[in-house]
Amino acid sequence: MEFDQLWQNALSEIELQISRPNYVTWLKNSHLIDKQDGIALVSLPNNFAKEWVENKYYKVILSVLRNLDESTKKIEFTVTNKQGSADNLKKKISNTVSKSQLAFEELKIDPETNLNPRYNLSSFVVGKSNELAFAAASAVIDEIGRKYNPFFIYGGVGLGKTHLIQGIGNEIKKKYDNNVRVKYVSSEKFTNDVIYGIRNKRMEDMKEKYRNVDVLIIDDIQFIGGKTSTEEEFFHTFNALYENNKQIIISSDRPPKFIPTLQERLSSRFEGGMLADIGYPDYELRLAILRTKIQDRGADLPENIVEFVANKVQKNLRELEGVLNRIIFYQQAKSGISLRAVEEIVNETIQQPTKNINPNQVIKAVADYFQISPNDLTGRCRQKSVVEPRQVTMYLLRDILGLSYPDIGLKLGKRDHTTAIYAYSKLSGEINKNQDLNQKVIAIKDIIYKE
Ligand code: ADP
Ligand code: MG
């Protein structure tokens, strides 16, 4: 067929322009299924492939297609399960979920899988901090039990672990038309089931329940560490599933080796699979998530407010969502909202450190983090390895303590206040663009607040 031929030619061209793994992951199963009035309709196997390709490869694909066929003006993407008819697909495109439907779905946890339909991969926004975890997740979905097993995702609180692993479960159900048995469970629930089984001599039921699945998803595994009988049972469940090529997906707040009481034999099993971390979201991702959620709720907020919130709520996407909900609620109740009111909501919602912190603690924390001496920070050395930490210190003294620029200069070896102004403005600008720097600053703040 003519479309097939055109698309094959396009693909071989595209493959040269994007990396091979990307090509295999995202475009291998794509088809050109229609072309009318200059609009090419390209199908992809699932929603997240669609979003990914749309966001990342739109330009490449358009230019390649246009080269082969000048009449191409635009590309539209759609999702198909193998051979859906174009009509069906078009219907899907316009099939948007209304708000009331969403609220209803909250309550609709599937009793068999324990999955909440609210968590799906098409609403999971991908950025630098979760890109790897997301790509691995998609590989797991395509090759259940064979590609990455176990699949272990770790990261801090509120960064999207539960959303991602439940999203995998929901996507698998959808993709394989319910022919794959999926079970999601928190490690607390698992522990309770083990205890109940032991106490009531119902271990067989327990085994049946967890070993009779194709995909087992365990959330927050760090909580089973140290509970001997639970770990024991989990170990056997793990082995039984693993030996039968069943997929195991695990989340944790830290990598396996850092779960203090986890038995060595379990943590080495986990290490043997695919480990992927979810890091702190950068400014761009926070902004994208906010915009998506604002749209989902059918709300509308001025750009400066959205940017303000993305700037202020840095560490926790659950908090970001909480702040947004309150802002929208306020806006609807009062038919409008000022930046001042938003500021108040942000300050009330995000965890504010309560204790008093003095400048020396900041200096010490920075020195500890960069493994240099506090004297290096206040001294005259201009080596790059000292200059960056010094600028970070200046930034934090202003950001956390609100010190005046002359005071900051004074504190750091009697430097001129213009040096402090320069450092502060440089870092404030960079921090939203440079993920590396952002992570460093967050880690140092953690040290400061923990001590
Ligand atoms: P964790 O399990 O890591 O503590 P959650 O998965 O519960 O975090 O995420 C917290 C909130 O942030 C959830 O409401 C989730 O939907 C949202 N969230 C997290 N990551 C994303 C993302 N990448 N895109 C959209 N929403 C996200
Ligand atoms: Mg969670």
Side-chain angles (χ1 to χ4, degrees):
M1 190 184 156
E2 140 200 37
F3 289 154
D4 275 347
Q5 194 50 50
L6 175 60
W7 191 238
Q8 279 319 313
N9 293 345
L11 281 180
S12 46
E13 192 61 36
I14 293 165
E15 192 181 346
L16 299 175
Q17 299 201 22
I18 69 179
S19 75
R20 169 95 193 147
N22 275 324
Y23 170 79
V24 173
T25 310
W26 306 113
L27 286 164
K28 199 181 58 182
N29 296 318
S30 61
H31 300 278
L32 177 64
I33 53 177
D34 198 7
K35 195 160 176 301
Q36 277 175 34
D37 307 328
I39 301 176
L41 186 62
V42 172
S43 77
L44 292 160
N46 49 47
N47 263 320
F48 53 94
K50 168 172 174 280
E51 274 191 19
W52 188 272
V53 170
E54 240 167 4
N55 290 331
K56 294 237 165 180
Y57 304 125
Y58 185 88
K59 278 195 195 140
V60 176
I61 298 174
L62 182 64
S63 80
V64 167
L65 266 184
R66 204 175 260 166
N67 253 337
L68 295 168
D69 177 350
E70 277 175 15
S71 71
T72 314
K73 291 199 198 73
K74 201 177 148 189
I75 301 168
E76 277 177 9
F77 295 95
T78 182
V79 175
T80 175
N81 304 317
K82 292 172 201 123
Q83 300 109 359
S85 75
D87 278 342
N88 246 336
L89 296 164
K90 282 172 189 158
K91 236 184 270 158
K92 270 193 189 165
I93 302 174
S94 60
N95 183 7
T96 48
V97 185
S98 77
K99 272 194 285 175
S100 56
Q101 237 173 316
L102 274 179
F104 178 65
E105 285 190 348
E106 280 286 339
L107 307 170
K108 236 176 39 185
I109 292 179
D110 179 343
E112 201 182 303
T113 60
N114 288 329
L115 289 168
N116 185 334
R118 162 179 128 76
Y119 295 116
N120 56 64
L121 292 184
S122 47
S123 65
F124 189 84
V125 185
V126 180
K128 285 197 201 78
S129 54
N130 57 22
E131 198 171 35
L132 174 71
F134 185 82
S138 65
V140 165
I141 294 166
D142 285 339
E143 294 185 59
I144 301 169
R146 283 176 292 144
K147 180 97 179 174
Y148 295 136
N149 205 15
F151 177 34
F152 192 104
I153 298 179
Y154 65 91
V157 179
L159 298 184
K161 301 181 299 294
T162 297
H163 188 142
L164 185 58
I165 60 179
Q166 289 221 23
I168 298 173
N170 281 317
E171 189 69 35
I172 288 176
K173 293 301 281 184
K174 200 161 69 182
K175 173 165 176 160
Y176 298 94
D177 287 338
N178 289 323
N179 289 328
V180 175
R181 290 160 304 177
V182 178
K183 192 170 275 304
Y184 165 87
V185 68
S186 65
S187 72
E188 283 118 321
K189 171 89 169 68
F190 186 86
T191 303
N192 287 340
D193 281 358
V194 172
I195 293 170
Y196 179 88
I198 294 172
R199 211 172 271 158
N200 299 290
K201 307 208 163 42
R202 302 290 287 271
M203 278 313 276
E204 285 313 308
D205 295 357
M206 149 95 206
K207 289 197 169 92
E208 162 94 18
K209 181 165 160 190
Y210 288 107
R211 294 187 194 181
N212 217 354
V213 298
D214 302 302
V215 180
L216 180 63
I217 305 172
I218 300 232
D219 207 351
D220 288 320
I221 195 88
Q222 73 272 8
F223 292 127
I224 75 160
K227 302 185 182 105
T228 323
S229 53
T230 313
E231 264 192 48
E232 189 68 24
E233 186 51 38
F234 181 73
F235 184 71
H236 293 306
T237 305
F238 182 98
N239 286 341
L241 292 172
Y242 185 79
E243 277 155 20
N244 289 304
N245 294 321
K246 306 299 189 192
Q247 180 70 46
I248 300 149
I249 300 168
I250 298 163
S251 86
S252 164
D253 68 348
R254 67 202 89 173
K257 354 185 225 302
F258 295 113
I259 306 176
T261 50
L262 195 71
Q263 291 169 18
E264 163 63 24
R265 57 180 189 172
L266 260 182
S267 73
S268 61
R269 292 285 145 117
F270 297 162
E271 299 269 350
M274 170 73 180
L275 297 187
D277 76 319
I278 299 189
Y280 291 115
D282 59 7
Y283 176 70
E284 219 177 290
L285 178 60
R286 302 195 299 265
L287 206 55
I289 289 177
L290 276 174
R291 291 198 175 121
T292 315
K293 304 220 175 218
I294 291 168
Q295 206 177 10
D296 285 351
R297 287 183 181 60
D300 194 13
L301 282 175
E303 199 47 32
N304 66 331
I305 289 186
V306 182
E307 283 169 11
F308 177 84
V309 175
N311 211 333
K312 284 289 171 187
V313 190
Q314 301 180 344
K315 277 183 65 175
N316 185 324
L317 295 169
R318 193 171 302 131
E319 273 181 3
L320 191 69
E321 213 171 348
V323 167
L324 180 65
N325 286 340
R326 291 184 61 181
I327 290 173
I328 292 175
F329 183 77
Y330 184 108
Q331 188 196 34
Q332 285 167 352
K334 310 223 167 175
S335 355
I337 191 161
S338 65
L339 190 57
R340 167 60 58 89
V342 169
E343 222 166 310
E344 260 170 43
I345 292 177
V346 168
N347 287 336
E348 277 169 23
T349 315
I350 61 177
Q351 283 171 7
Q352 292 291 351
T354 47
K355 47 181 202 177
N356 289 329
I357 288 160
N358 66 47
N360 289 340
Q361 282 169 289
V362 175
I363 293 173
K364 181 169 178 309
V366 175
D368 281 354
Y369 178 83
F370 288 101
Q371 302 190 329
I372 55 181
S373 131
N375 291 337
D376 292 334
L377 292 173
T378 53
R380 318 264 21 128
C381 169
R382 285 163 181 270
Q383 267 174 16
K384 193 164 175 274
S385 60
V386 178
V387 172
E388 189 196 12
R390 195 179 287 137
Q391 289 184 338
V392 169
T393 314
M394 292 183 172
Y395 170 81
L396 287 172
L397 287 174
R398 177 89 188 166
D399 186 57
I400 299 178
L401 299 178
L403 284 197
S404 73
Y405 293 120
D407 282 349
I408 294 173
L410 210 61
K411 207 66 216 154
L412 287 175
K414 302 210 177 82
R415 289 185 153 75
D416 194 71
H417 72 282
T418 52
T419 312
I421 296 176
Y422 172 78
Y424 181 75
S425 59
K426 177 173 172 235
L427 264 76
S428 324
E430 234 173 71
I431 217 159
N432 286 333
K433 295 184 215 126
N434 180 342
Q435 174 65 352
D436 222 36
L437 178 68
N438 185 29
Q439 303 260 4
K440 281 181 196 164
V441 168
I442 289 172
I444 295 167
K445 284 185 178 172
D446 270 351
I447 298 177
I448 295 170
Y449 294 128
K450 257 182 216 134
E451 273 172 1

